Amino acid sequence: MKRLKLFLLLLAFIAAPLAMMAQNVIYTNDFESGSGLPSGWVAVTGTASISTTYPNNGGHSFKFDQGTTIVVAMQSFEVEVSSLILHVWERPEGTSSSGDFEIGYVTSVTNANSFVAVEGPENCSRGTQYVEHTVDFSTASVPAGARIAFRCRI
């Protein structure tokens, strides 16, 4: 079985308007600085890294490396996840990749079973084209203190 390596690129987060006041939280990460996990990110299970393979824009991408189930949580934000919209590009490594990819949240960075999918699963045997995902966390019942997370199952 070919290992799935999924690449995430150009993350941007914008907070949804709260009541009558629009609040924007802009976060981007093109993974151009460093080779380890971005600051504040946690590999809940499995391993992930920054790679120069298959960048969509710039010279780097985020890669899920090893494990049958890999869960990676992003850093926490000053606003609750339930007020955020996520835009992310992803692609499988090759045409024979198998498994799936989900976007959601974790309630504990020490427990992979706390992952809750908000979007997905995206089947990774579709080929090597990039797919843009837009996830509106305000449509999910995200508890306070949760962190945005990605799950890759091989």
Side-chain angles (χ1 to χ4, degrees):
M1 176 189 331
K2 181 164 172 91
R3 294 188 82 77
L4 169 70
K5 291 184 181 171
L6 203 64
F7 299 91
L8 297 177
L9 308 148
L10 296 175
L11 298 175
F13 304 89
I14 303 171
L18 301 173
M20 297 296 288
M21 300 175 359
Q23 178 184 14
N24 288 327
V25 175
I26 307 297
Y27 169 82
T28 61
N29 195 328
D30 57 10
F31 308 114
E32 295 297 318
S33 59
S35 59
L37 289 174
S39 179
W41 289 41
V42 175
V44 180
T45 185
T47 61
S49 64
I50 303 299
S51 172
T52 56
T53 308
Y54 307 120
N56 187 29
N57 187 12
H60 294 80
S61 61
F62 183 81
K63 178 171 73 171
F64 293 91
D65 284 327
Q66 297 175 358
T68 54
T69 299
I70 304 163
V71 177
V72 176
M74 295 185 64
Q75 80 277 7
S76 48
F77 293 97
E78 292 181 12
V79 298
E80 292 297 333
V81 169
S82 61
S83 68
L84 299 177
I85 297 172
L86 166 71
H87 301 282
V88 63
W89 288 88
E90 113 347 87
R91 71 160 275 179
E93 179 183 30
T95 57
S96 62
S97 295
S98 62
D100 57 48
F101 171 71
E102 297 170 297
I103 302 170
Y105 62 88
V106 291
T107 56
S108 169
V109 295
T110 60
N111 182 357
N113 291 326
S114 73
F115 179 87
V116 176
V118 176
E119 180 181 291
E122 173 80 29
N123 185 307
C124 293
S125 62
R126 67 173 190 275
T128 59
Q129 71 273 17
Y130 288 96
V131 173
E132 182 179 17
H133 299 272
T134 300
V135 181
D136 184 351
F137 286 95
S138 71
T139 63
S141 298
V142 181
R147 290 168 64 169
I148 294 173
F150 307 98
R151 178 166 63 188
C152 180
R153 292 186 286 198
I154 300 170

